Amino acid sequence: MPEPLNAENLRRAPKVLLHDHLDGGLRPRTVLELADEAGYRSLPADDAGELGLWFRQAADSGSLVRYLETFAHTVAVMQRPDAVHRVARECALYLAADGVVYAEVRMAPELLTEGGMPIEAAVEALLDGYAQGMTEAAAAGTPITVGTLLCAMRQNDRWDEVADLVVRYRDAGVVGFDLAGPEDGFPPDRIPSAIALLDRAGAHRTIHAGEAAGTESIRAALDGAHAERLGHGVRIADEVAEDGELGPVARRVRDAQVALEVAPSSNVQTGAYPSLAKHPVDRLHRLGFAVTLNTDNRLMSGVSLTSEFAEVATTFGWTWDDVQTVTDRALAASFASEREKARLLGDVVRPGYARLRA
């Protein structure tokens, strides 16, 4: 008999996470302790429970100003290499304990330089922190591989610098490039030299698109930035008719199996959809799009990858077949080496689901 598809068993299931922001996933206690060390006095609460609740309520408020304020606090306490190292280490350990066996975690290193830290020092602190977390997770019997995605902020002009860092550190754990920040008004080919640098180096990239803006942002990400995956991408559903007929961009994305890094709780929180039941994640999955499930910002949304799978499975009646299909897709779309993908699929993912379905 297969194991029941519940939160406890989903936590044991080997999972793959492609869209997780480091500055959106700190532990409330870590925020408090780092703020104390840095002399940062602007936090809205001085108790871990109250602070965690404030982050979730501010992100749920429907106010973009309050939502962005949450990141102002987390970034403010991450302005030193030791703070970045700690947050990265704790991220790896947290995800491993949640049953994630491969994760790509993203951060904009330029946001970590406001206190004077050199951007290279920020990247190295990220890599060293993840490496230590991976070592400790393996020793605890919950091995995880964490790859680093470096984001350039669309509205800023440091794309070339970030693209160069992606290439320079790709043998040290950086697996790809991302564009984050406001989609409207800042097209993904605004600084063509950065895209050309990535193209010449054969560097991977995933681009935020199809979250706040519609399918035209998705087309621009594919054509302008040569995106291999779409961060969120859910607005592709705007081109899916009631009868399942697909518009040109939707057909292109489905036929090319461009992975959609879907984060349902985050999409509901930011108002893209009124509820999970109204979210297109299941519809896109059933139509054969390369849907993957993701956390986006664990602190602000109060979620884990386990809870995302549990909520979606409960809402839409998913089975272990659906969970494994989404996991297989995420691993295939990851920027891990082909050798690492084969190892994880054969030694970890397939045996893990076989045990749950036995």
Side-chain angles (χ1 to χ4, degrees):
M1 282 285 291
E3 296 283 356
L5 207 166
N6 55 31
E8 181 183 346
N9 288 324
L10 280 164
R11 188 168 291 107
R12 292 166 48 212
K15 295 176 290 297
V16 175
L17 176 60
L18 299 180
H19 195 115
D20 185 83
H21 288 267
L22 184 64
D23 50 340
L26 283 71
R27 296 163 59 238
R29 181 162 302 284
T30 297
V31 176
L32 288 169
E33 291 174 2
L34 291 179
D36 190 53
E37 291 170 16
Y40 181 72
R41 301 282 177 254
S42 299
L43 292 180
D46 57 9
D47 170 82
E50 291 177 11
L51 185 61
L53 183 61
W54 179 86
F55 272 107
R56 288 192 292 281
Q57 289 179 340
D60 272 336
S61 68
S63 162
L64 183 60
V65 173
R66 285 196 73 195
Y67 188 82
L68 293 176
E69 186 187 347
T70 63
F71 289 93
H73 291 308
T74 57
V75 169
V77 303
M78 292 173 64
Q79 294 299 314
R80 295 169 294 116
D82 58 332
V84 175
H85 184 282
R86 172 178 175 174
V87 173
R89 171 186 166 270
E90 289 181 356
C91 171
L93 288 170
Y94 173 90
L95 295 178
D98 191 45
V100 178
V101 297
Y102 179 86
E104 291 178 3
V105 183
R106 60 193 71 197
M107 182 68 214
E110 65 195 77
L111 299 180
L112 303 175
T113 63
E114 293 160 9
M117 177 169 33
I119 198 165
E120 291 86 359
V123 173
E124 288 167 14
L126 290 170
L127 294 169
D128 291 347
Y130 293 134
Q132 184 177 338
M134 286 189 275
T135 298
E136 292 179 31
T142 54
I144 184 172
T145 301
V146 180
T148 302
L149 293 167
L150 300 182
C151 303
M153 301 305 294
R154 284 177 182 255
Q155 70 273 34
N156 298 340
D157 293 332
R158 301 183 73 172
W159 297 22
D160 288 312
E161 193 176 2
V162 175
D164 181 62
L165 289 166
V166 168
V167 176
R168 280 165 52 198
Y169 286 93
R170 66 175 166 184
D171 292 331
V174 173
V175 296
F177 175 87
D178 177 32
L179 281 176
E183 292 176 38
D184 277 336
F186 300 97
D189 55 356
R190 187 172 70 85
I191 303 181
S193 53
I195 306 305
L197 191 160
L198 296 167
D199 287 345
R200 286 195 303 273
H204 290 299
R205 73 219 63 170
T206 174
I207 304 295
H208 277 76
E211 179 191 17
T215 50
E216 192 49 48
S217 75
I218 293 174
R219 189 198 306 274
L222 297 171
D223 291 340
H226 311 148
E228 296 166 77
R229 303 194 315 242
L230 298 168
H232 296 284
V234 286
R235 293 288 298 280
I236 201 72
D238 295 354
E239 278 199 1
V240 179
E242 285 296 320
D243 62 0
E245 184 69 26
L246 304 182
V249 179
R251 183 171 299 283
R252 175 182 176 185
V253 166
R254 188 186 68 177
D255 291 354
Q257 286 294 283
V258 177
L260 306 176
E261 301 166 356
V262 182
S265 292
S266 173
N267 296 154
V268 171
Q269 198 170 37
T270 57
Y273 296 97
S275 66
L276 180 56
K278 302 282 189 185
H279 194 284
V281 58
D282 180 66
R283 192 148 181 257
L284 294 171
H285 168 62
R286 300 288 171 212
L287 287 169
F289 286 85
V291 168
T292 68
L293 282 193
N294 301 275
T295 50
D296 201 18
N297 298 295
R298 287 172 282 112
L299 171 61
M300 287 71 173
S301 294
V303 298
S304 65
L305 191 53
T306 291
S307 74
E308 286 292 280
F309 268 106
E311 289 284 331
V312 169
T314 299
T315 301
F316 297 109
W318 279 19
T319 67
W320 284 118
D321 282 346
D322 297 301
V323 175
Q324 184 171 359
T325 295
V326 168
T327 301
D328 287 348
R329 281 194 198 125
L331 183 58
S334 76
F335 297 151
S337 68
E338 293 305 316
R339 183 175 179 178
E340 176 74 348
K341 290 182 190 182
R343 180 191 72 80
L344 285 167
L345 186 64
D347 297 349
V348 180
V349 173
R350 282 182 178 157
Y353 284 99
R355 284 191 294 272
L356 288 163
R357 299 162 80 160

